[in-house]
Amino acid sequence: MTSVTIDLLDAFRSAAAEVSPNGKVPDVDLDAELEELALDSIQWAELVATMEEQTGIPARIEDFLDIRTVGDLVGVLSVRSRS
């Protein structure tokens, strides 16, 4: 794993814990399915906004249409960080 991947995974975990109803998130890795987090659409929007704030990487809705795993999300943000 690259340092960017590790940083983005840490940002995801932090953002997910922040928006989670109970403030807890299972110890997710890159292969974790996003639906396992059981977040509603408002919480997903908050998670994306929190990650943008933490990482400074802007996100577009269309970037997230085919994302199924944490690794997919980290990959999209990693690519966006270079553009």
Side-chain angles (χ1 to χ4, degrees):
M1 243 188 286
T2 68
S3 64
V4 170
T5 301
I6 292 168
D7 290 345
L8 289 172
L9 182 56
D10 288 344
F12 173 83
R13 288 176 178 149
S14 173
E18 191 171 314
V19 302
S20 176
N22 62 6
K24 296 181 182 178
V25 175
D27 187 26
V28 295
D29 61 15
L30 295 174
D31 296 323
E33 297 284 332
L34 292 173
E35 66 184 28
E36 293 174 19
L37 298 177
L39 299 176
D40 64 27
S41 58
I42 300 290
Q43 291 164 324
W44 277 115
E46 290 174 351
L47 182 134
V48 171
T50 301
M51 287 195 69
E52 282 182 310
E53 186 177 295
Q54 289 179 357
T55 65
I57 301 170
R60 298 181 315 207
I61 294 299
E62 56 270 16
D63 290 337
F64 298 95
L65 296 177
D66 296 321
I67 291 176
R68 301 287 177 256
T69 67
V70 173
D72 294 340
L73 176 61
V74 166
V76 165
L77 292 175
S78 180
V79 168
R80 300 272 301 141
S81 73
R82 291 182 247 138
S83 56

